[in-house]
Amino acid sequence: MTADLLKKVSPLIFNSFLKIYFGNKQRNVDDKIIAELQQHNNRLDLNKRLIAEQSARLLNTTNTLTEVNNEFRNVDDSLSDKLINLEVQIAENNKVVSAVQDNYESLVIRSELVNQQVVKMVNQQNGVNDNTAASVEKLKKSLITLVSQRADKVVDDLRVEFNAQYEKAKIEQQSITTMAVESLRKEIKSLVYSELGYENIPGAGLFHIPNDAKPWSDAKRYCESKLGFLVELVNRELEVKVKNYVNTKYGISTFWLGARDHHTEGVFRWESSNQLLAYTNWGRGEPNNHANREDCTEFSSGIWNDLDCNESRRFICQSP
C-alpha cells in the first residue's frame, strides 16, 4: 500500500518540482528581458531628449543666422545708400574744385596784369621807388604790430573775463554748498532736539519747557543734559515772543533766565556765553541784591528781577 502510494505520489512531486524550477527560471529570463527592454527604452528616451536639444540648438542657430543675414542685408543696403551719397558728394566736390581752379586761374591772370602795371609804374617813377618801398615796409610793420597788439588785448580780455567768471562760479558754488550744509545742519538739529522734547517757537527758535520748578543751578544742569542752556532773552523781540508763547500755551509768567552776577556783584553775564547783557528789562529798583544773596535772574510778570539762586522757579531750556 505504501509502496504503491509512493509510486503514484513521486511522479507528481517530481513534475511539480520541474514546473517550479523551470517556472522560476523562465521568470528570471523574463525579468532579465524586461530589464533589458527598460534599459533600451531609457536609452531611447535619452536619445530623444538629445535629438530634441540638438533640434532646439539648430533652430536657435538658424534663427541667429537669419538675423545675421538680415543685418548683413541692412548693412549692405546702408552701404549702398552711403555709396550713392558719396558719389553725389564727389560729383559736387569735383564741381567745386573745377570752380576753384577757374577762379584761381583768373586770379593768377589778374595778378600778373596787376604786377605788370606795378612794374610799369615803378619804372616810370624811379625816384619815388625807394621811398615807396620803405613806406610800404613801414606800413606793413605797423599793421603787424597793430594786429599783434589787438590780438594780445583780445587774449587779455578773454583771460580777465574767464578769471572773473571762474571766481563768480566758485563763489556761487561755495554759497550753494554752504546753504546746503546749513540746511542739513538745521534739519538734523531740529530732529535731534525734537526727540529731546524741544518745540519751535515761531520766529524765536527751539525751546524745551519742563513741567517742574527747580533751583537755578539744578535748572541749568537739566538744560545742559538736554543739550541746551537756560533761556537768554538777548533782545526785546525774542523776549516778547517767548513770554507770549509760554504764557498762552502753559500759563507760565515767571521763570529763570540764564544770567547771574556771582563773580562780580552787579555785573550780570549770560551763563552760556559769558557775555555782558546788551539788553535788560529790570523792574524798578532792580537788581537790588536783597539781603546780599540775590545773584540769579528771573523773568516775572513782564520784567526782570534778581533773586536768591536757591529759590525754585519754572524754567525754559533754549537750544544753541
Side-chain angles (χ1 to χ4, degrees):
M1 178 77 180
T2 303
D4 293 337
L5 182 61
L6 287 173
K7 288 180 181 179
K8 293 180 179 180
V9 171
S10 295
L12 293 173
I13 294 173
F14 180 74
N15 290 335
S16 299
F17 172 77
L18 290 177
K19 288 180 179 180
I20 293 171
Y21 174 77
F22 286 107
N24 290 336
K25 190 172 182 180
Q26 185 64 40
R27 191 177 298 111
N28 292 335
V29 171
D30 292 341
D31 292 340
K32 184 176 180 181
I33 293 172
I34 291 171
E36 290 176 353
L37 289 174
Q38 185 64 43
Q39 291 178 358
H40 180 70
N41 288 333
N42 292 338
R43 285 194 294 271
L44 287 176
D45 291 339
L46 178 60
N47 290 333
K48 287 179 180 179
R49 286 197 297 271
L50 292 174
I51 291 171
E53 291 175 358
Q54 290 177 354
S55 298
R57 285 195 292 270
L58 288 174
L59 181 60
N60 291 334
T61 303
T62 302
N63 293 334
T64 302
L65 290 174
T66 301
E67 292 175 357
V68 171
N69 185 45
N70 292 334
E71 290 179 0
F72 275 120
R73 286 180 180 175
N74 294 333
V75 172
D76 184 56
D77 294 339
S78 177
L79 288 175
S80 298
D81 294 338
K82 291 181 178 179
L83 181 60
I84 293 172
N85 293 332
L86 184 60
E87 290 175 350
V88 172
Q89 290 179 0
I90 289 172
E92 293 177 352
N93 290 339
N94 287 334
K95 292 179 181 180
V96 173
V97 170
S98 298
V100 170
Q101 288 176 344
D102 293 339
N103 291 333
Y104 177 74
E105 291 174 358
S106 176
L107 182 62
V108 169
I109 294 171
R110 291 180 182 179
S111 177
E112 184 63 26
L113 292 174
V114 170
N115 186 49
Q116 290 175 4
Q117 291 294 329
V118 170
V119 171
K120 185 176 180 180
M121 291 175 62
V122 169
N123 291 332
Q124 291 176 354
Q125 300 177 359
N126 289 328
V128 186
N129 187 44
D130 294 338
N131 293 332
T132 302
S135 298
V136 170
E137 187 64 25
K138 183 177 180 180
L139 179 60
K140 180 180 177 182
K141 290 181 179 180
S142 298
L143 288 173
I144 292 174
T145 302
L146 180 61
V147 170
S148 178
Q149 290 175 349
R150 289 187 176 180
D152 291 341
K153 186 176 185 306
V154 170
V155 172
D156 290 339
D157 291 344
L158 289 174
R159 184 182 295 109
V160 171
E161 178 66 18
F162 172 79
N163 290 334
Q165 292 295 331
Y166 175 76
E167 290 299 324
K168 181 180 178 181
K170 185 167 69 173
I171 293 172
E172 289 178 352
Q173 182 61 40
Q174 289 174 348
S175 177
I176 292 172
T177 303
T178 301
M179 290 172 61
V181 170
E182 182 63 20
S183 176
L184 180 60
R185 188 190 70 80
K186 287 181 179 179
E187 290 181 9
I188 294 174
K189 176 184 175 181
S190 178
L191 179 62
V192 170
Y193 280 91
S194 294
E195 291 295 321
L196 292 171
Y198 283 73
E199 53 192 284
N200 182 57
I201 297 180
L206 298 173
F207 298 85
H208 175 51
I209 301 99
N211 295 321
D212 56 344
K214 295 179 183 293
W216 192 94
S217 295
D218 291 345
K220 172 180 176 291
R221 283 192 291 271
Y222 177 88
C223 288
E224 289 173 348
S225 72
K226 292 291 185 179
L227 305 181
F229 51 86
L230 280 174
V231 64
E232 298 179 357
L233 304 180
V234 296
N235 55 58
R236 177 64 178 169
E237 181 183 4
L238 179 62
E239 181 181 76
V240 171
K241 289 179 179 178
V242 172
K243 175 192 71 174
N244 291 341
Y245 184 88
V246 299
N247 185 260
T248 300
K249 186 172 182 178
Y250 296 99
I252 301 174
S253 59
T254 300
F255 50 86
W256 285 122
L257 297 179
R260 58 177 177 169
D261 67 344
H262 64 297
H263 290 304
T264 304
E265 180 59 36
V267 180
F268 284 82
R269 294 177 180 272
W270 293 118
E271 187 70 17
S272 69
S273 64
N274 198 37
Q275 295 294 315
L276 293 172
L277 309 186
Y279 165 78
T280 60
N281 187 21
W282 297 109
R284 181 177 297 178
E286 301 296 341
N288 60 8
N289 193 28
H290 180 68
N292 200 32
R293 55 187 178 84
E294 293 183 335
D295 291 333
C296 292
T297 309
E298 67 170 348
F299 180 91
S300 181
S301 301
I303 58 174
W304 299 11
N305 173 55
D306 60 338
L307 188 70
D308 185 350
C309 299
N310 293 317
E311 296 286 338
S312 290
R313 291 288 186 272
R314 295 289 295 272
F315 60 99
I316 301 170
C317 300
Q318 182 177 355
S319 71

